[in-house]
Amino acid sequence: MITIIALILVTLGAINWLAVGIFDFNIVNWIFTPSAYVGARVVYAIVGIAGIWLIAYLIYNRFSPKRIHAVEDMAHHKNHEPGDRA
């Protein structure tokens, strides 16, 4: 569940940066008026933490033992389908 929330936050952050790059319009600064500078900083920090979470998640899943042996496991299951008599 945390990973899905992190993915949503990072996606919204990417959309914000797209708006900054193309239209020179910062959505977070628009939502939080200049007087709410702390609110914008909190949003940026949360999006950054979500990004770090996703990096850690991708690294862990890329190098997890399950993933490393996934191809071998698939080949093993294909050779020994249920109902086969060996």
Side-chain angles (χ1 to χ4, degrees), residues 24-73:
D24 194 25
F25 180 72
N26 190 327
I27 299 168
V28 175
N29 286 345
W30 177 69
I31 293 171
F32 294 96
T33 60
S35 62
Y37 176 71
V38 174
R41 300 246 346 224
V42 169
V43 169
Y44 290 133
I46 291 171
V47 171
I49 291 168
I52 291 170
W53 175 270
L54 287 178
I55 290 168
Y57 177 81
L58 289 173
I59 289 171
Y60 174 76
N61 284 317
R62 175 78 174 142
F63 299 112
S64 71
K66 276 195 223 175
R67 179 158 173 100
I68 291 172
H69 299 295
V71 175
E72 296 168 6
D73 291 343

Side-chain angles (χ1 to χ4, degrees), residues 3-27:
T3 304
I4 293 171
I5 293 169
L7 186 59
I8 291 168
L9 289 171
V10 169
T11 302
L12 292 173
I15 291 169
N16 183 54
W17 281 113
L18 177 68
V20 169
I22 293 177
F23 305 113
D24 194 25
F25 180 72
N26 190 327
I27 299 168

